[in-house]
Amino acid sequence: MARCVSGLETDVIEEILAGGLGVVTRVGRRSVEFATDRLDAGVLGLRTADDVFLVAGRAPDVGHTRDGLGALGGLARAADLGRPAWSRPGGGIAGFSGVAGVSGVEVSASFLGRRNFNRYDAEDAVGAVLAERLGVPYHSRRGGAAPPEGCAGWRLVLDGAHATLMARVAARPLHRRDYKRRTVPGTLHPPVAAAMARLAAPRPGELVVDPCCGAGTLLIEARLTQPLARLQGYDLDPGALAAARANAGGDPRIALRRADAARLPLPDASVDVVLANPPWGGQVAPGGALAAAPERWWAELARVLCPEGRAVVLVPDTAGLAVAIRHGLLPSHLRHLAISGAHPHVVVLRTARARAKHPAGKK
């Protein structure tokens, strides 16, 4: 099972199918299940997924009362711990947390709906049984301490219909990217950035620009999507640029410089792709010319995009798109997300010039 941000399920499916990783068998909120006979770098390379697990057991949802905690313990007792892929040290793939050779057990739980128990109650009910069966310590998250290195990561999901128990494939969640050495306020969740880069689909040689690049997440995910694209990032905050340079690891394909997102040092109609998570005033307040006139963001975007260009932008809601349309930027795709209590949208925009050149039904 691949777990993901709500709204990215389709992106995960496309990655699985494009990579020939298996057959999709079930799709739910934040989850995509697929049958596969391979556990290799392809599975660990899913960039739009938050994490990937092996399903060890499933039973009916235990309901909302505390009596259901006993049934969760029963689910852990019945879980399949003897699958061949789990019984091999390391599971046959790099970093597999699996079962063999682990130093402990940690469990993360989530559920839909109101319950008379909390996530820690559910985690402890499962974790204590798994640890007993495996003969290793259980490390509860109840006190807030992070589990020690070497623990097998397990996941419990109660979705109203089923209780599903899973073992993490990798040693840590896939959303924790190796390149992420530094972060800044408003840093984009890497799988969301990966999905945005895939939507933009940059081609070799195209110029990809992030006008407010922050820690560089979008540019790095774009580089991983299309290594032959030209990548440029701008930001007013020197600290953000320093974080982006650290995360980019000195990659010469990513050019970073200080500039105002409303006054980019770029010629008119010179950019093929814009990828951006603009400072809309949530975690990060707009600076420079945007502080006094946030709508200038759309005007500058329309200025630099070439006629065949496209922009993939994260917006907090759809209200501001009316301003984008007035500047000749027409939405061609809209995706609603739910992440960390927020409900932003990913929007793909193209210039009205491109629409005029290729009207609907004509080439």
Side-chain angles (χ1 to χ4, degrees), residues 1-329:
M1 178 188 289
R3 295 282 295 173
C4 64
V5 167
S6 178
L8 295 188
E9 294 87 354
T10 300
D11 301 89
V12 174
I13 292 170
E14 290 175 351
E15 266 201 280
I16 291 169
L17 298 181
L21 301 181
V23 178
V24 174
T25 58
R26 183 195 297 253
V27 180
R29 181 180 179 273
R30 299 192 59 198
S31 67
V32 177
E33 292 187 38
F34 59 105
T36 182
D37 58 1
R38 48 187 286 203
L39 284 174
D40 56 15
V43 174
L44 294 181
L46 286 171
R47 305 202 66 80
T48 58
D50 276 7
D51 215 346
V52 179
F53 302 89
L54 288 170
V55 176
R58 176 172 280 139
D61 193 311
V62 299
H64 69 279
T65 69
R66 293 186 64 85
D67 293 341
L69 295 174
L72 289 179
L75 176 63
R77 290 186 186 91
D80 180 5
L81 304 186
R83 299 175 67 169
W86 296 7
S87 61
R88 299 193 303 270
I93 56 175
F96 179 64
S97 62
V99 170
V102 298
S103 62
V105 167
E106 59 98 356
V107 181
S108 179
S110 62
F111 48 76
L112 294 177
R114 297 175 65 93
R115 313 272 174 156
N116 290 339
F117 53 86
N118 60 37
R119 58 167 289 191
Y120 304 112
D121 297 330
E123 290 167 358
D124 291 350
V126 167
V129 174
L130 289 174
E132 180 183 1
R133 291 187 63 192
L134 295 170
V136 296
Y138 167 57
H139 299 278
S140 176
R141 293 176 175 268
R142 189 181 293 272
E149 293 291 330
C151 283
W154 288 76
R155 178 83 171 164
L156 173 68
V157 177
L158 307 176
D159 63 9
H162 299 97
T164 305
L165 183 61
M166 305 169 284
R168 176 175 291 124
V169 172
R172 62 177 184 172
L174 297 189
H175 68 81
R176 295 184 188 171
R177 305 292 207 242
D178 289 338
Y179 68 75
K180 205 75 170 180
R181 299 177 179 89
R182 294 181 58 180
T183 187
V184 296
T187 291
L188 195 58
H189 190 54
V192 174
M196 292 173 65
R198 286 174 59 85
L199 278 172
R203 294 182 283 268
E206 286 193 321
L207 176 59
V208 179
V209 170
D210 185 345
C212 34
C213 66
T217 308
L218 274 166
L219 291 170
I220 296 170
E221 293 294 337
R223 177 196 65 190
L224 294 167
T225 299
Q226 177 47 263
L228 298 180
R230 295 175 293 135
L231 306 164
Q232 295 181 13
Y234 301 90
D235 207 289
L236 268 178
D237 181 4
L241 289 172
R245 291 189 179 100
N247 291 333
D251 191 329
R253 293 171 293 182
I254 301 179
L256 300 164
R257 60 184 290 193
R258 190 168 186 264
D260 191 327
R263 299 190 180 103
L264 294 171
L266 294 166
D268 294 355
S270 62
V271 177
D272 300 294
V273 177
V274 169
L275 283 172
N277 175 26
W280 298 115
Q283 290 181 289
V284 180
L290 294 181
E295 66 277 5
R296 290 192 59 170
W297 157 261
W298 297 115
E300 186 68 352
L301 187 59
R303 181 187 73 80
V304 301
L305 269 182
C306 69
E308 299 297 324
R310 60 270 186 210
V312 182
V313 183
L314 191 70
V315 297
D317 52 54
T318 57
L321 295 182
V323 180
I325 293 170
R326 287 202 300 271
H327 284 286
L329 297 168

